[in-house]
Amino acid sequence: MSTEAMRNVEPRLAGAASGIDNTIRQIGSVIGAATAGALPQGRLAAELATGKTYADAFIATMHVTAILPITVVLAGALACLLVRNHTRAEPADPVPATATRETTPGR
């Protein structure tokens, strides 16, 4: 992924771009890990507060928090579809390179 992110960066800006790429990746990892820990903990506490047994509260928590990775995967797939590179093919040269003005019809 780093190679793809750095593909079109000018060589003189490669160091700064690499630093930004790594910083964003680290921030995303920290936020993801914090969310993955805080969401189930908060949900488990809420389930236990309703008077459920620990086993029932844990099962209910896992059912609800299973939506998180599914949502992230779907959001990633959607982002990939929206951000994909729309390169266009070069238009075909209407006049062959070997043709001259005299041999090209209509000119």
Side-chain angles (χ1 to χ4, degrees):
M1 287 178 53
S2 294
T3 302
E4 191 61 34
M6 299 291 295
R7 182 176 305 273
N8 294 324
V9 175
E10 295 179 29
R12 66 183 183 89
L13 299 174
S18 177
I20 290 171
D21 178 48
N22 286 324
T23 301
I24 298 293
R25 185 179 49 80
Q26 289 288 334
I27 290 171
S29 296
V30 168
I31 291 172
T35 301
L39 183 66
Q41 179 61 35
R43 188 67 194 170
L44 182 61
E47 291 288 336
L48 288 172
T50 64
K52 291 183 178 178
T53 65
Y54 185 81
D56 291 338
F58 184 79
I59 291 170
T61 298
M62 289 301 110
H63 286 156
V64 171
T65 56
I67 294 170
L68 176 65
I70 293 169
T71 304
V72 170
V73 168
L74 291 176
L78 180 63
C80 288
L81 290 174
L82 295 175
V83 180
R84 66 180 181 186
N85 192 3
H86 295 287
T87 57
R88 295 183 183 172
E90 293 284 329
D93 190 13
V95 179
T98 58
T100 62
R101 178 173 274 184
E102 293 79 27
T103 61
T104 306
R107 287 196 173 189

